Amino acid sequence: MYVSSANVSERQAAPPALAISTVIFALRPSASSGRPTLWLPLVRRIREPYRDQWALPGGPLSHAESLQDAAAQNLRETTGLAPNYLEQLYAFGGLHRSPTQRVVSIVYWALVQPTEAALADESENVRWFRADRLGELAFDHNSIVDYALFRLRNKLAYGSVAYHLLGEYFTLAQVREVYEAVLDRQLDPANFRRQLKSTPEIQETGEYLQGGKHRPPRLYRFTGRPGLDQDNRSTP
Amino acid sequence: MYVSSANVSERQAAPPALAISTVIFALRPSASSGRPTLWLPLVRRIREPYRDQWALPGGPLSHAESLQDAAAQNLRETTGLAPNYLEQLYAFGGLHRSPTQRVVSIVYWALVQPTEAALADESENVRWFRADRLGELAFDHNSIVDYALFRLRNKLAYGSVAYHLLGEYFTLAQVREVYEAVLDRQLDPANFRRQLKSTPEIQETGEYLQGGKHRPPRLYRFTGRPGLDQDNRSTP
DNA sequence: ACAAAAGTGTTTTAAGTACACCCATGG
DNA sequence: CCATGGGTGTACTTAAAACACTTTTGT
């Protein structure tokens, strides 16, 4: 059982509970503009505290899993997906995060490509939300998502994580759209393209994306590391 | 008691133990060259496992402390000092970090200015070591220190953390020496000085450092935030 | 032919790097 | 007056930003 029904004296004596949570980002076309936007899945709480409010997927740490494995497991259970990228975000340990019990949460963040199946995994208690239109979440989860967004933007600007939101093959314009969606500003297509072309991890293929309305763009692929290392520490 | 003497079946059942450790950096003049170098305090383990080996200061998380408070307390107990800068490093949760018990360690890193008193706090079981000349430490603490060094170098290069290793007043050459010690390479004094002077957080005073052998350099002070916020999340 | 995105070229701006040089002080 | 670190000036190199322009496709 996740939240034990400890009384006050038990709470004082017991060590803090240890939980793993995961902020899962994926791209979906906006209903209005059709341009890609950031979404994330939340789960509805079925018990107190914060019953019926939406929260980050998570749970207690099983004794047989590493932290990263627990997060990946977590992700698979709520979405049916495997992460393309998974990294530790932060350990949150404030005294009053949960009203009933002292909980220390080690939070991971992940990037996935949502498939039809994954989106169909929605249910009464699991739903995808636009990252910029979450309501009021349980616990301190709003601020955790804010921090995860901050980290995602940072990694995007300096690292090479955008490709983990895309499929194996992509056009340079698609990469630009990811940047524009996450950073929320327009980028010069010409300059952006040149920057990507100077990145050795991006390999051009002989294929072209067909079926568009205009000149067919060339397809590229990402040849960097998968972003699922044993312990990812490239953060800072 | 930090490490409980659980037998195997107890270990399977019990939740992972939660501990806080801290990597504490300070500058001390090298015995040979006199130039500043990085040092950090370690504690000798007085029980198994790894008895008599050196380890990072740490201990279990008390139920009444936030994570950051626990790290600061930790720091004060082993060195007698208050941190100038304190930030969460990473949560280490591998399955086999400790041979006797599953332990999840939330590790902080700190910058301090060692005083006479602090260095006098050395004892049989607490000693300061040069960061580049640690022996073989207990648990996975060598790799933790490596990661802390990585993070320190990164923060130094991009953030404004060097001043927390110095006193209230300092010369620009002293800042350069910090950079050279931590990054382990020479920097052009002229260009380095210009970069610092274009940093608004660095304020020039009317004072000059007297007593040197040459032209007395001007003293500056750092006016940025103290680096001890409630929860420091400027990491990425 | 025309619209629109793909893709190229060129100019400007800013930031970093290398290095020559002057200044002020103790000895 | 000389050695040395403090402090200034200037040319060179590199990367980013701005923007005009050409190419290729579908309609």
Side-chain angles (χ1 to χ4, degrees):
Chain A
M1 183 159 124
Y2 185 176
V3 175
S4 69
S5 56
N7 63 32
V8 176
S9 65
E10 270 182 288
R11 182 185 177 185
Q12 293 296 338
L18 188 51
I20 304 289
S21 294
T22 311
V23 184
I24 302 161
F25 292 115
L27 246 32
R28 292 177 64 179
S30 152
S32 49
S33 71
R35 306 164 68 81
T37 48
L38 265 186
W39 293 67
L40 52 87
L42 298 175
V43 301
R44 190 199 301 271
R45 286 189 56 82
I46 55 174
R47 46 169 75 87
E48 296 294 343
Y50 296 102
R51 183 211 277 250
D52 290 330
Q53 282 198 248
W54 295 98
L56 292 171
L61 175 64
S62 143
H63 54 75
E65 295 171 313
S66 75
L67 302 179
Q68 175 145 327
D69 288 347
Q73 175 64 12
N74 199 328
L75 198 162
R76 205 179 60 75
E77 280 166 4
T78 58
T79 65
L81 293 166
N84 274 345
Y85 185 83
L86 183 57
E87 179 187 314
Q88 193 180 106
L89 180 66
Y90 198 78
F92 296 86
L95 267 57
H96 306 295
R97 300 183 56 241
S98 166
T100 53
Q101 188 197 21
R102 170 86 189 272
V103 180
V104 173
S105 291
I106 298 177
V107 179
Y108 277 74
W109 66 285
L111 302 179
V112 300
Q113 308 161 243
T115 62
E116 306 305 321
L119 296 172
D121 255 21
E122 284 206 345
S123 69
E124 179 67 22
N125 295 322
V126 175
R127 192 184 299 169
W128 287 79
F129 293 80
R130 274 188 60 154
D132 56 352
R133 296 188 193 163
L134 311 174
E136 194 175 326
L137 307 186
F139 305 105
D140 53 354
H141 290 188
N142 279 301
S143 75
I144 292 179
V145 171
D146 286 347
Y147 183 43
L149 276 166
F150 171 75
R151 185 86 140 247
L152 168 59
R153 296 199 174 101
N154 234 297
K155 279 271 170 171
L156 198 73
Y158 300 114
S160 44
V161 294
Y163 319 101
H164 301 296
L165 285 164
L166 296 167
E168 186 180 357
Y169 297 92
F170 48 81
T171 70
L172 299 188
Q174 286 172 336
V175 180
R176 178 167 50 81
E177 283 180 331
V178 175
Y179 275 73
E180 290 180 339
V182 174
L183 302 180
D184 196 31
R185 62 187 168 95
Q186 299 292 107
L187 297 172
D188 183 308
N191 294 330
F192 186 82
R193 126 176 242 97
R194 252 188 300 263
Q195 270 187 271
L196 289 195
K197 296 217 73 161
S198 72
T199 306
E201 292 165 319
I202 295 180
Q203 209 168 62
E204 102 177 13
T205 72
E207 317 286 320
Y208 292 81
L209 179 63
Q210 304 294 343
K213 295 183 187 148
H214 304 293
R215 173 175 176 177
R218 187 186 285 273
L219 288 169
Y220 294 79
R221 65 149 43 107
F222 179 68
T223 60
R225 65 201 170 105
L228 288 169
D229 318 72
Q230 180 65 10
D231 241 0
N232 188 323
R233 294 181 184 166
S234 44
T235 301
Chain B
M1 185 160 127
Y2 186 176
V3 175
S4 70
S5 56
N7 64 30
V8 175
S9 65
E10 272 182 288
R11 182 185 178 184
Q12 292 296 340
L18 187 51
I20 304 288
S21 294
T22 312
V23 185
I24 302 159
F25 291 115
L27 247 32
R28 292 178 64 180
S30 151
S32 49
S33 72
R35 304 163 70 82
T37 49
L38 265 186
W39 293 67
L40 52 85
L42 298 174
V43 300
R44 190 199 302 270
R45 285 190 56 82
I46 54 175
R47 46 170 75 86
E48 296 295 343
Y50 295 103
R51 183 210 277 249
D52 289 332
Q53 282 198 248
W54 295 97
L56 292 171
L61 175 65
S62 143
H63 55 76
E65 295 172 313
S66 76
L67 303 180
Q68 176 145 327
D69 287 349
Q73 175 65 11
N74 199 328
L75 197 162
R76 205 178 60 74
E77 280 167 4
T78 59
T79 65
L81 292 167
N84 273 346
Y85 184 84
L86 183 58
E87 179 186 315
Q88 192 179 107
L89 180 66
Y90 198 78
F92 296 86
L95 267 56
H96 306 294
R97 301 182 56 240
S98 167
T100 52
Q101 189 197 19
R102 171 86 189 272
V103 181
V104 173
S105 291
I106 298 177
V107 180
Y108 277 74
W109 66 285
L111 302 178
V112 299
Q113 307 162 243
T115 60
E116 306 306 320
L119 296 172
D121 255 20
E122 284 206 345
S123 68
E124 179 68 23
N125 295 322
V126 176
R127 192 185 298 170
W128 287 78
F129 293 81
R130 275 188 61 153
D132 56 352
R133 295 189 193 163
L134 312 173
E136 194 175 327
L137 306 185
F139 305 104
D140 53 355
H141 289 189
N142 279 301
S143 75
I144 293 179
V145 171
D146 286 347
Y147 183 42
L149 276 166
F150 171 75
R151 185 87 140 247
L152 168 60
R153 295 199 175 101
N154 234 296
K155 279 272 171 169
L156 198 73
Y158 300 114
S160 45
V161 88
Y163 318 101
H164 300 297
L165 285 164
L166 295 167
E168 185 180 358
Y169 296 93
F170 48 81
T171 70
L172 299 188
Q174 285 172 336
V175 180
R176 178 167 50 81
E177 284 180 329
V178 174
Y179 274 73
E180 291 180 337
V182 174
L183 302 180
D184 196 30
R185 62 187 169 95
Q186 299 292 107
L187 298 171
D188 184 310
N191 295 329
F192 186 83
R193 125 177 243 95
R194 252 187 300 263
Q195 272 186 270
L196 289 196
K197 296 217 75 163
S198 72
T199 305
E201 291 166 319
I202 295 180
Q203 209 168 63
E204 101 176 15
T205 72
E207 315 287 318
Y208 293 80
L209 178 63
Q210 304 295 345
K213 292 179 187 149
H214 305 294
R215 174 174 172 177
R218 186 185 287 272
L219 287 169
Y220 294 79
R221 66 154 35 112
F222 179 68
T223 59
R225 67 201 169 106
L228 288 169
D229 318 72
Q230 180 66 8
D231 241 0
N232 187 324
R233 294 179 183 169
S234 44
T235 302

